[in-house]
């Protein structure tokens, strides 16, 4: 069992859900991004998701698109991302790390080289946004000796995925299943004002998310985490009642963008992680 499985096991024992924190590796600079990653891990994210900056991130909204551009400008590459994770391990960070990428940079890097470097760097898994199950064999068949227990291949399920298609996607899913909370791209619109009063109206359909999670759980024992559009502790708390984990990405990246020159950036992010965790723990069954 790799680090991801161990984390979900420990959380189940405590009756808690996983906080998965996403940042774009290399944003706003490689050194500052490294300190941000360490801060998120020590503050309490259960799994760190490192986005590989890509010039054409079709699944990402404006916040993460801008983060990718800053990281590319700072010189971030896949090879440097592996060195990034090695440094985290040398600093005794044991938080599971997964890479979030598109297939183009991985294909160019080479499937066999990617897998070898990922294991050497103690990366725990990968999520490839635009690689469907039917085409992924050309990537994974180059992973000599690969088993899902050693290195997780995390799959995405969208709100529009049919039950038949879910079955195909879940056949090879490991680590956790990433359920997209709503149609569209990453990032959330501001919480909308209610048409009936001054209270803000949440833009997530929790009944539909719950239905999708329950449907997935009839098909697999792999944990289900929900992301895309989850941006506040209150939203995370509600998702934690439904799923095994919550992915927070654009909220962290928006803070990094707004405070990239602020000497208190790490303290602000530390507080954010603790607020998300506190809200999720308070919703324990």
């Amino acid at each position: 069992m790799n680090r991801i499985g161990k984390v979900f096991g420990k959380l189940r024992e405590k009756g808690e859900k996983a906080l998965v924190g996403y940042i774009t590796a290399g944003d706003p600079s490689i050194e500052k991004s490294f300190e941000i990653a360490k801060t998120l891990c020590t503050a309490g994210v259960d799994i760190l998701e490192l986005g590989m900056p890509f010039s054409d991130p079709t699944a990402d909204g404006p916040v993460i698109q801008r983060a990718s551009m800053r990281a590319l400008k700072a010189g971030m590459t896949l090879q440097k991302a592996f060195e990034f994770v090695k440094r985290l391990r040398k600093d005794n960070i044991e938080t599971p790390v997964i890479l979030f990428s598109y297939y183009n940079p991985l294909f160019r890097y080479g499937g066999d080289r990617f897998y070898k470097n990922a294991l050497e760097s103690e990366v725990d898994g990968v999520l490839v946004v635009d690689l469907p199950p039917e085409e992924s064999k050309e990537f994974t068949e180059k992973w000599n000796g690969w088993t899902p227990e050693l290195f997780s291949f995390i799959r995405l399920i969208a709100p529009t995925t049919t039950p038949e298609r879910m079955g195909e996607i879940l056949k090879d899913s490991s680590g956790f299943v990433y359920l997209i909370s709503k149609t569209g791209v990453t990032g959330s619109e501001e919480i909308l004002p209610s048409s009936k009063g001054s209270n803000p109206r949440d833009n997530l359909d929790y009944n539909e998310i719950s239905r999708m999670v329950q449907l997935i759980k009839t098909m697999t024992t792999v944990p289900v985490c929900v992301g895309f559009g989850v941006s506040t502790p209150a939203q995370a708390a509600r998702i934690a009642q439904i799923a095994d984990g919550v992915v927070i990405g654009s909220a962290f990246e928006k803070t990094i963008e707004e405070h990239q020159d602020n000497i208190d950036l790490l303290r602000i992010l530390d507080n954010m992680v603790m607020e998300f965790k506190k809200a999720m723990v308070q919703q324990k069954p």
Side-chain angles (χ1 to χ4, degrees):
M1 182 185 296
N2 67 14
R3 291 182 184 87
I4 298 173
K6 290 176 182 175
V7 160
F8 278 110
K10 289 178 181 176
L11 290 170
R12 272 195 296 272
E13 290 175 1
K14 295 191 291 183
E16 296 180 9
K17 307 300 178 67
L19 172 60
V20 183
Y22 169 99
I23 58 170
T24 300
D27 174 42
S29 69
I30 293 176
E31 278 308 308
K32 193 169 285 188
S33 183
F34 180 73
E35 294 303 321
I36 289 169
K38 281 179 59 178
T39 297
L40 262 59
C41 292
T42 56
V45 297
D46 297 295
I47 297 172
L48 178 66
E49 193 173 86
L50 276 183
M52 295 299 97
F54 181 49
S55 58
D56 303 284
T58 52
D60 291 310
V63 172
I64 293 180
Q65 287 181 28
R66 291 194 295 270
S68 289
M69 292 303 104
R70 288 193 296 271
L72 288 171
K73 188 176 179 180
M76 197 65 191
T77 63
L78 188 53
Q79 181 62 52
K80 289 179 181 177
F82 288 130
E83 297 300 322
F84 190 102
V85 180
K86 279 185 182 178
R87 287 180 63 192
L88 288 174
R89 299 303 183 215
K90 285 181 181 176
D91 281 7
N92 297 315
I93 300 296
E94 282 300 311
T95 306
V97 177
I98 62 172
L99 301 184
F100 179 107
S101 181
Y102 294 83
Y103 188 46
N104 182 284
L106 305 184
F107 176 76
R108 287 177 59 86
Y109 196 79
D112 50 351
R113 183 182 172 210
F114 169 84
Y115 184 64
K116 179 176 181 290
N117 289 172
L119 293 187
E120 289 173 348
S121 307
E122 299 188 58
V123 172
D124 300 285
V126 67
L127 187 160
V128 189
V129 180
D130 54 353
L131 185 60
E134 292 83 358
E135 307 297 331
S136 62
K137 191 175 179 182
E138 72 170 40
F139 189 42
T140 59
E141 68 183 2
K142 296 179 180 176
W143 298 0
N144 185 32
W146 175 60
T147 67
E149 291 76 21
L150 186 65
F151 187 77
S152 297
F153 200 133
I154 296 151
R155 304 289 187 174
L156 282 163
I157 287 181
T160 52
T161 303
T162 64
E164 293 74 20
R165 182 63 179 161
M166 278 185 197
E168 292 300 313
I169 294 171
L170 293 171
K171 281 180 183 175
D172 297 322
S173 182
S174 57
F176 63 87
V177 178
Y178 192 132
L179 173 63
I180 298 172
S181 64
K182 60 185 180 61
T183 55
V185 295
T186 62
S188 175
E189 302 85 0
E190 295 297 327
I191 292 182
L192 303 173
S194 169
S195 59
K196 296 181 180 179
S198 59
N199 293 329
R201 178 166 59 85
D202 200 332
N203 59 356
L204 295 178
D205 184 342
Y206 297 97
N207 289 331
E208 179 60 13
I209 294 169
S210 178
R211 187 190 70 79
M212 292 286 286
V213 170
Q214 294 309 311
L215 181 58
I216 294 169
K217 282 183 171 293
T218 65
M219 301 181 188
T220 183
T221 57
V222 176
V224 182
C225 296
V226 176
F228 281 44
V230 186
S231 61
T232 70
Q235 289 176 318
R238 292 194 66 177
I239 297 293
Q241 292 181 297
I242 297 169
D244 300 297
V246 184
V247 185
I248 307 295
S250 294
F252 286 132
E253 275 300 340
K254 190 174 182 182
T255 299
I256 292 167
E257 180 175 58
E258 291 176 350
H259 296 276
Q260 56 186 297
D261 297 319
N262 187 337
I263 59 172
D264 288 329
L265 171 61
L266 299 182
R267 181 184 58 78
I268 294 168
L269 290 170
D270 183 279
N271 287 339
M272 280 185 72
V273 172
M274 288 193 287
E275 286 177 9
F276 276 113
K277 283 295 291 186
K278 181 180 177 182
M280 292 168 62
V281 169
Q282 285 177 341
Q283 297 299 320
K284 286 170 68 172

